[in-house]
Amino acid sequence: MTEYQTIASDTEATGEFEDRRSRFIAQIVRVSGEREAQAFIDEVRSRHRDARHNVPAWILADGRERCSDDGEPSHTAGTPILEVLRAANMANVCCVVTRYFGGTLLGPGGLKRAYTAATQRALAEAERMGGVVTMTLTTRVTCVIPYSAYGRVERMIGDCGGRIRDSIFAEDVQLTAVFRTGEEDRFVAAMREYAAGEDLCVVGEPTFSEL
């Protein structure tokens, strides 16, 4: 995986679906790991302690994922939530769908539709809020150059598809640029040619970040 969608930090999106007086309230946030996911699940359960079910599902960027039906019939609740998250290419997210029972059994098909619809509406609300961000596998490259080379190196970074993330002006200029992983090679080669074979670049390990 070189790219995924997630929820913006400090954002919680909700979506609601109702069927025969049963209310399904989806709540989705960004998490960095299993511990944060469990903390959010506990928070939602506390928030809706009078609800019949609080059904959780989470997916992490490292491939781990988990869901629970929280007392609903097997595979009618947690799995549909997880499938919506997968279809949206979401990762590092946790979604909990709260159900307030309306007195009428919906059957397996009705439950799957309801949990699916509530999750889809939460994601749509996140999009409407501008709360969905794309995380891309990127590589940082740091180089130290003389002041006189700043403009040229800045253009080289842009020509190679990168962006400057940080500039430190001291005796020389230390530039840190970020590239989609794989695209940094062209910049490093261009810098080596510019410096007549000298290596001016320190290449970091690939990580996911917003471009």
Side-chain angles (χ1 to χ4, degrees), residues 136-140 178-181 205-209 211:
T136 303
L137 192 62
T138 60
T139 299
R140 287 178 179 248
V178 63
F179 300 83
R180 291 178 183 271
T181 296
E205 291 296 320
T207 58
F208 281 101
S209 65
L211 275 178

Side-chain angles (χ1 to χ4, degrees), residues 140 142-147 150 164-177:
R140 287 178 179 248
T142 300
C143 56
V144 178
I145 57 173
Y147 277 75
Y150 183 87
I164 294 176
R165 277 291 168 86
D166 190 33
S167 301
I168 299 175
F169 297 91
E171 184 177 343
D172 291 307
V173 182
Q174 179 178 295
L175 279 178
T176 299

Side-chain angles (χ1 to χ4, degrees), residues 143-164 167 169 173 175 177 179 186-197 200-201:
C143 56
V144 178
I145 57 173
Y147 277 75
S148 59
Y150 183 87
R152 180 170 179 179
V153 173
E154 183 180 32
R155 288 191 297 274
M156 289 165 62
I157 290 169
D159 291 344
C160 294
R163 293 186 181 180
I164 294 176
S167 301
F169 297 91
V173 182
L175 279 178
F179 300 83
R186 189 155 61 99
F187 172 71
V188 172
M191 285 293 291
R192 187 178 296 116
E193 181 180 351
Y194 168 73
L200 299 180
C201 298

Side-chain angles (χ1 to χ4, degrees), residues 6-8 11-17 24-29 40 81 84-85 88 90 93-98 114-132:
T6 194
I7 301 299
T11 296
E12 180 177 333
T14 62
E16 187 168 337
F17 179 79
F24 297 82
I25 307 164
Q27 301 127 107
I28 184 168
V29 297
F40 180 65
I81 299 170
V84 172
L85 300 179
M90 283 278 165
V93 293
C94 179
C95 182
V96 183
V97 180
T98 299
Y115 281 102
T116 296
T119 307
Q120 289 172 334
R121 290 184 179 185
L123 289 180
E125 175 62 10
E127 287 274 10
R128 189 195 67 77
M129 296 164 57
V132 175

